Amino acid sequence: MNTEIDGRLETDIAWVVDRAQPADAASKALADKVTRTVATRLESLITGKPQPQAASTVGAPAQSDESRMVEHAHAVIPWFQKNGNPSGLERPIYKQLSAFMLLVAQLLKCELAGRASNATGAGLQRLILPYEKVDTNPEGADDGTKIDVGLRSCPVNSPVEAQPDASYGRALAVVEAKGRSTKALWHQAYAQLFDYSHNVYYCQIDRRFIWGLACCGSEVRACIFSNYRAFASPAIDMTDKAGRSELVRLLVGWSLCDNDRLGYDDTIVWNSELQCYEISVPCADRPGESVPYYTDAFIIGAERLFSRHCRCFLATSTRPTAPVTEDNPLVPDCVIKDTWTFHDEQYNEPALDTGGNSAGSTSTGNSRDNSDGSRGDGNGEVADKLARVTIGGEAVFCWPPENFDLSSLTERSEIGILRKIDARLRHRVDLDGRYPRILDGGWVFQGSDTQLVLDSTRLILGDLDSAQQSRTPFCVHMRYAMTPIGEPLKYVCSIPELIVVLHDVMRCHAAIYDECRILHRDISDSNILIVRPK
């Protein structure tokens, strides 16, 4: 883990908190105003002195709300003092940090309620609240390790109180705290934050990137975890008024921004009516459009913090006619693979990982794999080339130039390779069901119907400087549905069945090489599936 921190973490990155702010100008202006108002009110509560007034629509809070605010303010005061934790123990910080989250949420809710009552538009998307239990092992953990504090995104009408039942499946971010601010303790805090945060990726199938907070003494750093890199903000000093205002700005941003700024994927949504997930898979023959698929089970999760975050789901494109239950199960007929693939400036073919399909193939391009997961050394140039794309003459995507042909990228992608295999082998009826066949698939786009944006690390992280670009692999989000559905090789029933399976694998891969000139280069028991006749 220490090596991973040294190789993956960028510190003192000024734009990290900016990435939490709303994207559209009106919402960002509102967030700025609300930040100033909440920060001013916060200072009044902790100092007991009136502060210079920022423009506010806050009415007098209810007596119970006011008393809770005062209680939370008293709880956090030691955290704001330079010698407020003489013991150097970290446990007092858990409660102080949680009280700060509750105080800001209460102030924010009062402020936005006042704006809504004045018909100016609330803009509040959610409340950021801490879990009630601190130093706890959340549901969904892959071991017995305990997180210090967990934060959850809650509906705006939720009571402002600590949340029960800590769970990685519902966590917005994990907080790791240490009692003092030293270089060694910061390193430990980052190491534990790295270790715990991968559980969020695994338990939440709709997370594109995740947030985290590291806290040492009275200093806080916000962190963004993308596919192959983590970025930490400069230290936010809670003993300083400006530092407290900066953490307020982060929390206000999280509360007012759209879901995609928190790392959620708008193309994977929970359908409460059907009690299953609805996943938009790019349409195979209508670029820019998507096909809804339905799933209630994933067979492969994003197990690592830094990776392609490959996820595979058992799914169907047939909409359930009733809610999915044990008595009315969803009957899958395909597998959806969701992953992030990276590219170098020559658009050499990415290494193909089929997530457990027997015919996963890799082209023999000359792209270079670096130890950090990047390819080549021109990621910044690739981001510029992928900049703006037009589909069907209507949807315009970010970044210049406008004349980039997305199809050139698709041809060299995993999807392009599988389509090539399907086209060349479709006449081979003897191989039906022995290699993956794509039903739908393509690049994933985020945004509205009129302003779709190619989902990539550049969309997540924004414009990086040249040094950051060179160290940050440029990844693009892809998703496709394929058949058939198989079982892992470990479920083979007998030696004769194993012989049949391996015979089919060799036949299929020989045909792919002979007719498609594609060599897999990574055949193993983890990417061979058993497909039994129905």
Side-chain angles (χ1 to χ4, degrees):
M1 185 58 68
N2 289 340
T3 301
E4 194 162 46
I5 293 173
D6 295 336
R8 306 281 192 181
L9 179 64
E10 302 261 352
T11 57
D12 296 322
I13 305 300
W15 50 257
V16 170
V17 176
D18 293 336
R19 297 305 296 166
Q21 305 309 302
D24 66 282
S27 295
K28 187 177 186 305
L30 175 61
D32 291 341
K33 291 178 182 178
V34 171
T35 296
R36 291 192 294 271
T37 302
V38 171
T40 298
R41 179 70 172 129
L42 172 70
E43 295 301 315
S44 296
L45 285 168
I46 64 175
T47 63
K49 300 176 182 179
Q51 299 290 313
Q53 290 297 308
S56 175
T57 56
V58 177
Q63 185 61 40
S64 59
D65 292 341
E66 182 68 28
S67 60
R68 279 196 294 266
M69 290 181 192
V70 172
E71 179 184 346
H72 296 322
H74 287 165
V76 299
I77 286 175
W79 193 36
F80 299 161
Q81 297 172 341
K82 292 187 180 295
N83 298 310
N85 185 20
S87 68
L89 299 176
E90 63 183 60
R91 194 167 187 85
I93 297 177
Y94 306 164
K95 294 296 185 181
Q96 294 161 359
L97 194 146
S98 295
F100 183 83
M101 301 294 169
L102 292 169
L103 177 56
V104 172
Q106 192 71 65
L107 290 169
L108 181 59
K109 192 171 185 178
C110 289
E111 168 67 10
L112 272 301
R115 290 180 180 271
S117 65
N118 289 336
T120 58
L124 186 62
Q125 301 279 356
R126 64 195 66 83
L127 295 175
I128 308 302
L129 301 174
Y131 282 117
E132 182 178 22
K133 290 184 178 180
V134 297
D135 190 26
T136 186
N137 182 241
E139 179 186 350
D142 61 358
D143 55 29
T145 55
K146 298 179 179 181
I147 64 171
D148 294 340
V149 180
L151 302 180
R152 182 180 175 184
S153 169
C154 299
V156 295
N157 58 354
S158 302
V160 179
E161 56 189 30
Q163 299 297 294
D165 304 326
S167 165
Y168 280 119
R170 294 183 294 273
L172 168 66
V174 172
V175 184
E176 177 58 34
K178 298 297 176 187
R180 299 185 187 279
S181 178
T182 67
K183 183 177 181 180
L185 288 177
W186 273 112
H187 199 276
Q188 289 180 27
Y190 285 133
Q192 289 176 278
L193 189 62
F194 277 37
D195 189 27
Y196 305 154
S197 293
H198 82 276
N199 289 298
V200 179
Y201 271 128
Y202 183 80
C203 294
Q204 299 183 29
I205 67 172
D206 58 344
R207 288 302 284 270
R208 300 157 52 239
F209 66 93
I210 57 178
W211 288 89
L213 291 179
C215 174
C216 289
S218 293
E219 292 183 341
V220 180
R221 285 181 165 91
C223 301
I224 290 179
F225 296 94
S226 65
N227 295 81
Y228 289 101
R229 211 87 182 149
F231 300 86
S233 71
I236 299 171
D237 185 358
M238 300 304 292
T239 67
D240 180 70
K241 180 179 178 180
R244 294 190 287 271
S245 179
E246 182 71 352
L247 189 54
V248 168
R249 186 167 79 95
L250 175 67
L251 297 176
V252 170
W254 280 351
S255 302
L256 270 65
C257 70
D258 289 334
N259 278 333
D260 66 298
R261 298 290 243 187
L262 298 180
Y264 294 103
D265 189 337
D266 288 336
T267 65
I268 301 178
V269 297
W270 175 255
N271 190 315
S272 57
E273 176 188 354
L274 299 177
Q275 290 295 295
C276 64
Y277 280 97
E278 185 173 327
I279 301 180
S280 298
V281 178
C283 185
D285 53 5
R286 296 191 302 279
E289 299 183 25
S290 61
V291 178
Y293 281 75
Y294 303 89
T295 182
D296 63 347
F298 70 88
I299 51 178
I300 295 178
E303 296 183 348
R304 298 178 57 194
L305 182 61
F306 298 109
S307 70
R308 298 176 65 195
H309 296 153
C310 176
R311 299 177 173 102
C312 291
F313 312 92
L314 297 177
T316 177
S317 60
T318 302
R319 181 183 174 90
T321 57
V324 176
T325 63
E326 290 186 6
D327 296 329
N328 181 45
L330 186 146
V331 181
D333 53 25
C334 66
V335 175
I336 293 176
K337 181 177 180 182
D338 183 273
T339 188
W340 293 71
T341 186
F342 43 78
H343 297 269
D344 68 10
E345 71 278 19
Q346 283 84 35
Y347 301 107
N348 290 318
E349 294 85 348
L352 188 62
D353 168 12
T354 64
N357 286 280
S358 62
S361 310
T362 301
S363 69
T364 55
N366 62 353
S367 59
R368 302 177 300 282
D369 286 354
N370 297 328
S371 60
D372 64 351
S374 63
R375 297 175 87 77
D377 55 2
N379 297 295
E381 296 178 23
V382 179
D384 290 336
K385 290 180 180 179
L386 284 181
R388 188 174 295 142
V389 186
T390 302
I391 288 182
E394 297 179 359
V396 178
F397 311 102
C398 291
W399 320 314
E402 296 184 4
N403 59 353
F404 176 73
D405 181 11
L406 189 62
S407 62
S408 66
L409 181 62
T410 303
E411 290 172 3
R412 295 164 171 81
S413 72
E414 184 171 328
I415 293 174
I417 292 171
L418 290 178
R419 284 177 178 162
K420 179 179 179 181
I421 292 172
D422 190 24
R424 299 282 179 87
L425 297 186
R426 191 167 282 272
H427 69 286
R428 294 284 303 270
V429 294
D430 60 312
L431 295 179
D432 281 352
R434 290 167 174 79
Y435 64 90
R437 181 167 289 173
I438 288 186
L439 304 175
D440 288 293
W443 305 109
V444 176
F445 292 84
Q446 302 289 334
S448 66
D449 293 337
T450 57
Q451 185 69 28
L452 297 177
V453 183
L454 183 64
D455 200 10
S456 68
T457 48
R458 181 161 182 176
L459 176 62
I460 292 170
L461 302 174
D463 293 321
L464 304 179
D465 62 35
S466 57
Q468 291 168 349
Q469 284 182 1
S470 66
R471 296 190 296 267
T472 306
F474 178 69
C475 301
V476 186
H477 192 180
M478 71 159 59
R479 182 181 300 146
Y480 56 87
M482 58 185 170
T483 59
I485 297 176
E487 293 182 277
L489 191 60
K490 65 181 181 180
Y491 293 114
V492 67
C493 293
S494 64
I495 292 178
E497 184 179 54
L498 176 62
I499 293 172
V500 171
V501 169
L502 295 181
H503 174 261
D504 285 346
V505 168
M506 289 186 287
R507 250 189 342 124
C508 189
H509 282 76
I512 290 172
Y513 180 75
D514 291 340
E515 303 196 31
C516 308
R517 310 309 294 173
I518 293 173
L519 187 64
H520 190 292
R521 300 190 298 180
D522 186 29
I523 303 173
S524 70
D525 59 352
S526 64
N527 53 30
I528 297 174
L529 294 182
I530 307 167
V531 180
R532 296 185 175 92
K534 295 182 179 180

